[in-house]
């Protein structure tokens, strides 16, 4: 049986439909056509599966929002399949094949508990509680190897959309993930005059967030935000491959009460820096960080036997270390043992060199020049 759905995907929508994988993140500018593409992607999966008990959910942060953004599209596109029935009170559509698509709001995630899902769309995950994905939705997909699509516009980095964007980058196709980023300057879907008008009515950071899919924009007033945005625009942020012939240096901020942060980077002979990895934790002793370093020095892809297999930080990357750089005050700070942290680290096999004690403004300036 074949049906004509009144949807003619735009070229980049088509690119998404044809290349997406089981888990997918679709990062688009406002009015790209994410919701239309997402609804049609579900419908296509529903009709192709052939399973009578196929179940899918379309979830927005609030139920009212799910109804406002997706119900009309569902009626329009699924309504073209003869025999489809719509249950307005449940916001559910039953296809003649027996497949069902239902709208949900994550203001009430309990409505989802106890179900299984073959497919789900999470529309605007930047506004959803992070735990809903890991604790409620991801387990629902396990039975039947269900798919998940996250589609939205960035809203800073401290939310679910940014989490899954990063996860998709880390895990890639091998982990079942794919990701797409479609800024307005690339799609050409919005008329130039319209974009110019939007730009005049918003500040630059807002515009870059809403129309250029920039995660950096929301961190207002951050020292490095404009430079990070520029790096993002110029395609300098992404998966930076590890050059096995070069040593990997680490630079540390050793927190006493706050987090300890470690950057992993390489410097090419020509002076180009490759920043490969980052690790942060708090409330851990030096032995923990020594273990992280050691894990990453194992052959690429090998996972730490003590990790649960999910912890990307402990995945082997084949790093061969060069310098380990610590803050200048590592000599004076004392642990409970009475030894300096420099000595404690050396006992664990990490021989630190210390960074020069620069005035704070000079340090910020050095980072700016690097970026
Ligand atoms: N393939 C298409 N062909 C024609 N019109 C389309 C297509 N895809 C989307 N549209 C139209 O573009 C507009 C925006 O679509 P949609 O609501 O899916 O965008 P969105 O990216 O979800 O927007 P928002 O940022 O507001 O959530 C709608 O008017 C929709 O009908
Ligand atoms: Mg939308």
């Amino acid at each position: 049986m074949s049906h004509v759905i009144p949807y003619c995907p735009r070229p980049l929508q088509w690119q998404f439909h044809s290349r997406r994988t089981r888990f997918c993140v679709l990062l688009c500018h406002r009015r790209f056509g994410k919701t239309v593409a997402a609804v049609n992607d579900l419908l296509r999966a529903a009709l192709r599966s052939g399973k009578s008990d196929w179940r899918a959910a379309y979830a927005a942060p609030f139920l009212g929002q799910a109804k406002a953004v997706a119900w009309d599209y569902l009626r329009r596109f699924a309504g073209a399949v003869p025999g489809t029935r719509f249950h307005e009170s449940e916001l559910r559509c039953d296809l003649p094949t027996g497949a069902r698509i239902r709208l949900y709001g994550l203001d009430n995630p309990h409505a989802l508990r106890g179900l299984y899902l073959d497919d789900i769309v999470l529309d605007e995950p930047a506004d959803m509680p992070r735990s809903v994905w890991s604790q409620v939705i991801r387990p629902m997909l396990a039975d039947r190897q269900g798919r998940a699509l996250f589609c939205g516009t960035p809203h800073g980095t401290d939310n679910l959309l940014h989490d899954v964007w990063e996860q998709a980058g880390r895990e890639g196709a091998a982990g079942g993930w794919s990701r797409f980023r479609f800024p307005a300057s690339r799609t050409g879907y919005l008329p130039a005059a319209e974009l110019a008008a939007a730009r005049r009515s918003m500040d630059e950071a807002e515009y870059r967030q809403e129309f250029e899919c920039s995660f950096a924009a929301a961190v207002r007033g951050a020292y490095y935000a404009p430079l990070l945005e520029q790096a993002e625009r110029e395609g300098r942020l992404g998966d930076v491959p590890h050059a096995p012939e070069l040593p990997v240096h680490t630079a540390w901020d050793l927190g006493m009460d706050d987090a300890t942060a470690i950057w992993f980077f390489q410097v090419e002979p020509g002076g180009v820096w490759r920043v490969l990895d980052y690790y942060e934790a708090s409330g851990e002793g030096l032995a923990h960080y020594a273990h992280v370093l050691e894990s990453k020095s194992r052959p690429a892809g090998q996972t730490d036997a003590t990790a649960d297999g999910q912890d990307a930080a402990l995945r082997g990357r084949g790093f061969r270390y060069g310098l380990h750089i610590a803050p200048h005050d590592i000599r004076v700070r004392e642990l409970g043992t009475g030894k300096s942290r420099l000595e404690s680290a050396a006992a664990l096999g990490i021989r630190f060199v210390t960074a020069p004690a620069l005035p704070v403004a000079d340090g910020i300036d050095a980072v700016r020049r690097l970026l």
Side-chain angles (χ1 to χ4, degrees), residues 50-355:
K51 290 188 198 155
S52 63
D53 53 357
W54 189 92
R55 296 289 176 268
Y58 189 101
F62 298 97
L63 185 61
Q65 199 178 358
K67 181 175 183 191
V69 301
W71 186 243
D72 286 349
Y73 290 146
L74 197 58
R75 290 201 71 118
R76 180 176 346 146
F77 299 118
V81 181
T84 300
R85 283 186 323 224
F86 294 92
H87 303 269
E88 179 106 24
S89 58
E90 293 182 23
L91 297 178
R92 196 184 87 208
C93 135
D94 296 355
L95 291 155
T97 56
R100 290 180 175 177
I101 302 173
R102 186 168 173 181
L103 309 190
Y104 291 90
L106 294 186
D107 41 343
N108 179 19
H110 300 291
L112 279 161
R113 279 193 195 269
L115 306 175
Y116 66 85
L117 286 175
D118 292 284
D119 209 339
I120 186 167
V121 173
L122 294 109
D123 197 341
E124 302 298 356
D127 299 326
M128 293 176 182
R130 284 177 153 127
S131 58
V132 161
W133 163 243
S134 53
Q135 293 174 18
V136 182
I137 296 170
R138 181 65 186 83
M140 296 171 67
L141 302 174
D143 284 6
R144 322 220 319 174
Q145 280 88 58
R147 308 191 307 168
L149 167 66
F150 299 82
C151 59
T153 304
H155 209 113
T157 54
D158 190 18
N159 58 58
L160 179 60
L161 178 59
H162 185 261
D163 291 352
V164 291
W165 175 258
E166 291 290 305
Q167 185 175 358
R170 264 194 325 269
E171 299 201 7
W177 287 83
S178 51
R179 63 182 198 181
F180 302 86
R181 178 170 172 266
F182 297 132
S185 55
R186 177 169 162 219
T187 64
Y189 292 171
L190 294 175
E194 185 61 31
L195 287 176
R199 199 164 202 153
R200 280 194 301 275
S201 67
M202 307 166 95
D203 73 32
E204 183 63 16
E206 272 169 341
Y207 180 84
R208 299 208 62 77
Q209 171 172 293
E210 303 295 325
F211 292 102
E212 289 298 294
C213 310
S214 167
F215 282 112
V219 191
R220 299 242 177 114
Y223 292 131
Y224 310 119
L227 290 163
L228 285 171
E229 277 175 42
Q230 189 184 340
E232 199 174 43
R233 255 194 325 272
E234 292 172 1
R236 287 187 281 126
L237 300 188
D239 293 325
V240 180
H242 165 229
E245 69 282 9
L246 296 174
V248 175
H249 307 296
T250 65
W252 299 52
D253 185 7
L254 284 154
M256 292 297 277
D257 305 316
D258 52 351
T260 286
I262 310 172
W263 285 100
F264 297 77
F265 63 97
Q266 298 183 300
V267 185
E268 292 177 8
V272 172
W273 285 51
R274 299 162 165 258
V275 180
L276 302 176
D277 207 341
Y278 173 79
Y279 182 80
E280 181 183 307
S282 41
E284 300 284 357
L286 277 170
H288 172 81
Y289 302 104
H291 180 57
V292 171
L293 255 56
E294 192 268 321
S295 304
K296 291 182 191 288
S297 70
R298 292 187 199 168
Q302 189 176 315
T303 307
D304 190 302
T306 62
D308 59 7
Q310 300 282 355
D311 195 346
L314 296 181
R315 192 169 308 143
R317 301 202 55 186
F319 287 174
R320 182 171 53 80
Y321 293 111
L323 296 174
H324 297 300
I325 306 168
H328 63 91
D329 55 3
I330 187 177
R331 290 172 195 281
V332 293
R333 289 188 188 174
E334 298 293 320
L335 281 179
T337 61
K339 281 197 287 185
S340 78
R341 299 182 122 199
L342 195 64
E343 290 160 347
S344 307
L348 291 164
I350 308 171
R351 262 163 258 289
F352 280 117
V353 297
T354 53

